[in-house]
Amino acid sequence: MQDERFMREPIEENGLLKLSGTVEHVIYANEENGFAICDLGTEEGELITVTGHLPYVGEGDVLTVYGKWVHNPKYGRQFKAEQSEKQLPADRAAILRYLSSGAIKGLGPKTAKRVVDTFGEETFDVIENHPEFLADIPGITPKRARAISEDFQNKAGIRSAMMFFRDFFGAAVTVRIYKRWGSRAVDIAKKNPYRLCEEIDGIGFERADRMAMQLGLERASDDRLCSGILYLLSTSAGQSGHVCLPREQLLPEAARLLDCTPERIEEAVSLLLAERKLVEVELEGKAHLYDRTLYDHERFIARKLLLLDKVCPVMDSVNIGAFIEREERDSGVQYARLQRQAIFDALDNGVMLLTGGPGTGKTTVVRALLHIFDSMDLRIALCAPTGRAAKRLSESTAHEAKTIHRLLEYTGEEGRGMRFHRDEHNLLEENVVIIDEASMVDVYLMSALLKAIKPGARVVIIGDADQLPSVGAGNVLRDLLASECFSTVRLTEIFRQAEKSLIVTNAHAINRGEMPRLDEKKNDFFFLPRTSDGEIAATVAQLYATRLPRTYGEITVGGMQVICPSRKGETGTENLNVLLQAAVNPPAEGKREQRFRDTVFREGDRVMQTRNNYDLIWEREDGTSGNGIFNGDIGVITAIRPSSQSMEILFDDRRVQYAFSNLEELETAYAVTVHKSQGSEYPIVILPLGSTPPLLLSRNLLYTAVTRAQMMVVAVGRREVLASMVENNRQSMRYTGLCRWLREGLV
């Protein structure tokens, strides 16, 4: 880069600086999201490093970028592009350079020279509109000519899309739109912008609606009203877990959102019902409206589970008793009555539900089942919804456990749906499928798993129904239990070893609506009273940074987790993450960092993935690899590399190269919410109890937080906050129909 003293400042346009030039060198390019780093040569002879979303940028491109100057600690001054316009080179020399760079697949330097020598400044017109002319050049077959033309047209399409969508969306979103619809993207969006919010991740109804209004579409159009109604159903599923909504609730909400008459909403609902995009059913005496996809998922779950329970081969009860007695002899464990019943029912039924709180022996039952099924030469799949839950299950049973995604051999996303290699057309070979932490499994994932389970296989579903429900849509475990359609065992006895733990006994007390014991100083559940939120936050920081590490040593390294009821306020995750980062991982010479919005990510930071990203590729030390990092996965930043605009994160034993353009999917994770902690366990949990929104002061939220701890809980805060959580047994109600479909017997 030239000396900054001699660089001419770019002109300002619409609040952004404007810079134009020719791409001299592409340093880095990510075709998945369009992020790139390149050297741009200006007319004044300056060479400027430009970073940003520059889809399919190539050497020789004539580029105009709009953005601002930024300072990279290692590479100095750079230009960060927020918008870009790309033009094709016009003169013969520039055209040759562009084609020689490999910008168009199928054209290398030698062939590019022959093409340009033949067609000169008409080269691009020939490639796009008359590819058959290319076949006259030695080395280019008709098939290769068509391929060259198709690649050129694709890149022309993304240029057109970038120009059209730049006033509405960022470049990364535009790339997603183009990947979905290709060269048809602009035409589809112009005709019906509302398809964007229905089919493209990252675009909500409001953004599509703003675009539609700018394009001059009618506010009362059928497309707008139908999309708004579907958006409300989608939002209620994603934010509140509802699978459907009462008609009497949905229609007034839609009228308010869309600012139109109830009559027009009724007409739009009728249209959606006629198009089979909505389904209307009666639940508990009221009309409810379903999005067709969720309706199909729930009905399928009911149908498949009832089928599995019906067609499973019957075992003789005498043989089952013999299996259990032999397992008791071999393991040296005398099973309690309910544990024995659970083992018997799992062997005697196609579908069996096992629930119970901490310390009640669920893991003991799983170990017994694994040994018995293995002795019967049955193939067993042990799975859980998250990586941490699967890892913990593997450690506690000495049997390999997989995430459900890995078991189903996830292959990617199509539109807004997940795709798995294992499905109804490629069934799992296993004869037994055991699903742990089932309270976390939503209707989408349960439906996908059941599609892949072969008829005749046994399914054992295990979970704690008193924990928080899944983040995603549905209330699968509770609905299965409420249906009373399957053999169910609720373990209630707390075993002798667990009785010694205040974590276990206090968790059960909380679940019964009783105050936990807070006065014992020599156990594993401690309460530190503090009055103000500031005192609570300061004490949490001291515990995390010095007091607990000094007392408990190595176990605290990666073994402590602050779990908060809320994100906001002094005792919420946002503030505590800032305090804890400053306390345990402050800035230091040689320690690289990267700022994104209000967050500074630093080497050594503990971070969490905040949404499912099925495209991230991970590798293990043993050379195995796969794809997918999921909402709630926690890792540590091991390296930040400004040169490639990326960082390396270690998620347990999976190493991931993470582009800066994906930083919106990360947040620091010294403190996490209770919802994000589901499915995980930590040696030590620190629980701040300060000012919290009333809706979050619930018994099942407190119970879930306490049961995340393996060795110690340290609650810090006000006793009255704890008491209000224990007293409040109000659970957020979810509108679902699975219980009904099961009771109707959909086989």
Side-chain angles (χ1 to χ4, degrees):
M1 185 180 293
Q2 287 194 356
D3 191 319
E4 293 176 12
R5 292 174 299 175
F6 301 105
M7 294 176 64
R8 181 178 300 174
E9 283 298 318
I11 62 173
E12 187 170 325
E13 188 171 305
N14 297 324
L16 296 173
L17 298 176
K18 177 182 177 182
L19 194 67
S20 298
T22 302
V23 176
E24 301 291 338
H25 177 55
V26 178
I27 300 168
Y28 171 82
N30 183 332
E31 286 199 7
E32 287 300 314
N33 58 28
F35 184 84
I37 307 170
C38 65
D39 285 334
L40 192 71
T42 68
E43 292 181 358
E44 292 78 20
E46 299 161 351
L47 193 64
I48 298 170
T49 300
V50 177
T51 70
H53 287 90
L54 310 167
Y56 303 111
V57 68
E59 292 178 12
D61 277 338
V62 178
L63 203 62
T64 299
V65 289
Y66 302 85
K68 60 185 178 181
W69 293 111
V70 295
H71 182 79
N72 183 292
K74 185 174 181 180
Y75 298 98
R77 199 184 197 204
Q78 296 180 340
F79 193 84
K80 183 178 180 180
E82 296 184 17
Q83 297 176 8
S84 67
E85 298 173 2
K86 187 161 55 171
Q87 298 173 315
L88 289 173
D91 63 79
R92 181 187 289 255
I95 293 171
L96 176 59
R97 184 181 174 200
Y98 174 78
L99 295 179
S100 298
S101 71
I104 304 300
K105 293 177 182 177
L107 283 177
K110 291 182 179 179
T111 309
K113 188 174 187 310
R114 295 192 195 107
V115 171
V116 175
D117 285 346
T118 303
F119 302 110
E121 294 178 359
E122 304 299 319
T123 294
F124 290 144
D125 179 62
V126 169
I127 292 174
E128 183 171 13
N129 301 309
H130 305 286
E132 66 276 10
F133 294 176
L134 296 175
D136 294 335
I137 295 175
I140 300 182
T141 63
K143 181 179 179 180
R144 185 180 176 189
R146 287 192 298 272
I148 291 169
S149 181
E150 287 173 6
D151 193 55
F152 181 84
Q153 290 178 41
N154 283 337
K155 290 180 170 60
I158 189 65
R159 283 195 297 273
S160 173
M162 291 296 292
M163 292 294 290
F164 176 77
F165 289 112
R166 68 174 185 171
D167 293 332
F168 310 109
F169 312 115
V173 173
T174 300
V175 171
R176 286 203 292 275
I177 296 170
Y178 191 77
K179 282 182 173 290
R180 174 70 172 154
W181 292 323
S183 59
R184 301 179 299 131
V186 174
D187 290 338
I188 289 173
K190 283 181 177 178
K191 183 178 180 182
N192 182 7
Y194 298 102
R195 284 187 62 181
L196 292 164
C197 64
E198 294 174 21
E199 300 184 41
I200 308 296
D201 279 332
I203 300 179
F205 175 79
E206 289 93 343
R207 295 177 77 184
D209 199 33
R210 283 197 298 271
M211 178 179 177
M213 294 304 99
Q214 289 183 48
L215 292 175
L217 273 71
E218 289 289 330
R219 290 186 61 80
S221 69
D222 287 342
D223 285 338
R224 180 172 186 266
L225 301 188
C226 290
S227 181
I229 291 165
L230 293 174
Y231 164 76
L232 283 174
L233 283 170
S234 173
T235 301
S236 72
Q239 296 181 358
S240 303
H242 300 307
V243 179
C244 56
L245 284 177
R247 185 186 183 106
E248 64 183 25
Q249 176 180 327
L250 176 61
L251 269 61
E253 285 185 18
R256 283 193 295 272
L257 172 72
L258 300 166
D259 190 24
C260 68
T261 65
E263 291 76 18
R264 283 295 290 127
I265 296 298
E266 289 279 3
E267 291 171 6
V269 167
S270 297
L271 181 60
L272 287 166
L273 290 169
E275 293 176 346
R276 297 179 59 80
K277 292 182 178 179
L278 284 187
V279 179
E280 186 169 10
V281 300
E282 185 175 300
L283 298 173
E284 299 181 355
K286 289 185 178 181
H288 286 65
L289 291 168
Y290 269 89
D291 176 280
R292 164 63 64 174
T293 301
L294 282 168
Y295 174 81
D296 289 343
H297 280 311
E298 266 202 341
R299 301 263 297 184
F300 173 78
I301 290 169
R303 185 178 294 110
K304 184 63 178 281
L305 283 173
L306 292 169
L307 175 67
L308 289 168
D309 199 42
K310 182 178 181 180
V311 303
C312 181
V314 177
M315 290 183 64
D316 185 272
S317 60
V318 175
N319 289 337
I320 295 176
F323 275 121
I324 296 173
E325 289 169 6
R326 187 182 68 187
E327 181 59 26
E328 284 183 323
R329 289 195 304 271
D330 292 347
S331 66
V333 176
Q334 186 70 36
Y335 300 120
R337 181 183 63 83
L338 286 176
Q339 288 180 314
R340 189 181 184 90
Q341 184 67 52
I343 298 167
F344 187 98
D345 287 0
L347 294 169
D348 195 39
N349 294 275
V351 176
M352 182 265 183
L353 310 178
L354 176 62
T355 186
T360 56
K362 295 192 297 293
T363 302
T364 300
V365 172
V366 175
R367 289 196 199 103
L369 291 174
L370 290 171
H371 293 156
I372 293 171
F373 284 133
D374 188 58
S375 71
M376 297 167 64
D377 292 326
L378 297 178
R379 299 186 63 169
I380 309 163
L382 191 59
C383 62
T386 69
R388 283 182 169 267
K391 182 179 180 182
R392 180 164 50 83
L393 190 58
S394 294
E395 293 169 348
S396 63
T397 61
H399 187 284
E400 183 188 19
K402 298 178 179 179
T403 63
I404 297 174
H405 287 83
R406 185 178 167 210
L407 176 67
L408 299 180
E409 299 173 28
Y410 169 80
T411 59
E413 281 188 303
E414 187 174 47
R416 290 192 170 184
M418 297 174 288
R419 289 185 291 120
F420 298 98
H421 184 63
R422 295 291 184 173
D423 56 19
E424 63 269 41
H425 306 297
N426 185 22
L427 298 171
L428 294 165
E429 291 88 3
E430 283 80 3
N431 312 99
V432 179
V433 178
I434 300 176
I435 310 158
D436 196 20
E437 293 286 358
S439 63
M440 298 178 63
V441 181
D442 62 25
V443 292
Y444 299 105
L445 196 55
M446 182 60 79
S447 175
L449 176 57
L450 291 173
K451 283 178 183 176
I453 296 176
K454 64 185 181 182
R458 283 179 169 78
V459 177
V460 181
I461 300 174
I462 305 168
D464 187 342
D466 295 312
Q467 289 186 21
L468 294 171
S470 60
V471 175
N475 213 345
V476 175
L477 179 60
R478 286 186 189 170
D479 283 350
L480 295 181
L481 293 167
S483 74
E484 300 181 341
C485 290
F486 307 105
S487 171
T488 300
V489 175
R490 290 176 172 84
L491 300 177
T492 56
E493 180 182 351
I494 303 175
F495 290 95
R496 187 175 303 165
Q497 185 176 359
E499 281 181 336
K500 300 176 183 177
S501 166
L502 267 184
I503 294 174
V504 173
T505 56
N506 277 345
H508 284 272
I510 290 166
N511 210 22
R512 294 191 300 268
E514 302 168 4
M515 276 293 285
R517 290 159 56 190
L518 306 176
D519 52 353
E520 294 203 18
K521 304 298 183 184
K522 294 184 178 180
N523 209 295
D524 54 8
F525 193 111
F526 300 93
F527 178 71
L528 303 181
R530 296 292 185 272
T531 304
S532 71
D533 287 354
E535 287 181 299
I536 296 169
T539 301
V540 168
Q542 291 167 6
L543 287 166
Y544 195 99
T546 56
R547 290 172 61 178
L548 290 174
R550 186 169 58 234
T551 304
Y552 297 99
E554 285 188 14
I555 197 169
T556 63
V557 179
M560 289 186 296
Q561 185 62 60
V562 179
I563 300 180
C564 308
S566 174
R567 293 181 60 88
K568 302 297 182 180
E570 281 191 89
T571 60
T573 59
E574 292 178 0
N575 182 58
L576 286 175
N577 270 317
V578 174
L579 291 180
L580 295 171
Q581 183 191 49
V584 301
N585 192 31
E589 187 176 350
K591 186 181 288 185
R592 286 167 292 195
E593 56 186 47
Q594 177 66 30
R595 176 176 288 277
F596 180 76
R597 295 176 183 162
D598 295 330
T599 302
V600 174
F601 294 103
R602 191 171 293 132
E603 289 177 335
D605 271 342
R606 184 180 175 91
V607 293
M608 174 181 280
Q609 177 78 10
T610 60
R611 67 181 67 165
N612 291 340
N613 186 327
Y614 304 99
D615 298 321
L616 286 172
I617 298 172
W618 50 259
E619 293 182 351
R620 291 194 175 98
E621 295 297 331
D622 62 6
T624 59
S625 63
N627 58 319
I629 298 295
F630 303 110
N631 187 3
D633 284 354
I634 290 179
V636 175
I637 299 174
T638 55
I640 293 177
R641 302 187 177 97
S643 59
S644 61
Q645 297 282 287
S646 66
M647 61 176 64
E648 182 179 270
I649 303 176
L650 188 63
F651 291 93
D652 292 326
D653 59 347
R654 298 166 297 162
R655 197 172 298 276
V656 179
Q657 304 305 318
Y658 211 101
F660 287 172
S661 55
N662 284 337
L663 288 182
E664 65 181 0
E665 299 179 3
L666 283 181
E667 60 186 32
T668 46
Y670 300 102
V672 302
T673 62
V674 179
H675 286 86
K676 292 289 189 183
S677 73
Q678 282 181 272
S680 299
E681 282 189 350
Y682 313 93
I684 300 173
V685 165
I686 304 172
L687 177 60
L689 297 170
S691 300
T692 303
L695 285 175
L696 296 175
L697 294 176
S698 67
R699 184 184 301 172
N700 68 339
L701 190 138
L702 176 62
Y703 174 79
T704 302
V706 169
T707 54
R708 299 309 87 208
Q710 296 169 312
M711 297 175 57
M712 183 185 302
V713 171
V714 184
V716 184
R718 297 194 287 276
R719 189 181 294 262
E720 62 268 25
V721 173
L722 183 63
S724 64
M725 296 181 82
V726 172
E727 291 167 6
N728 177 16
N729 196 30
R730 183 184 67 248
Q731 298 181 8
S732 56
M733 201 271 291
R734 293 190 170 191
Y735 295 111
T736 67
L738 180 56
C739 184
R740 173 189 164 175
W741 311 135
L742 287 164
R743 288 176 175 174
E744 284 188 356
L746 300 178
V747 179

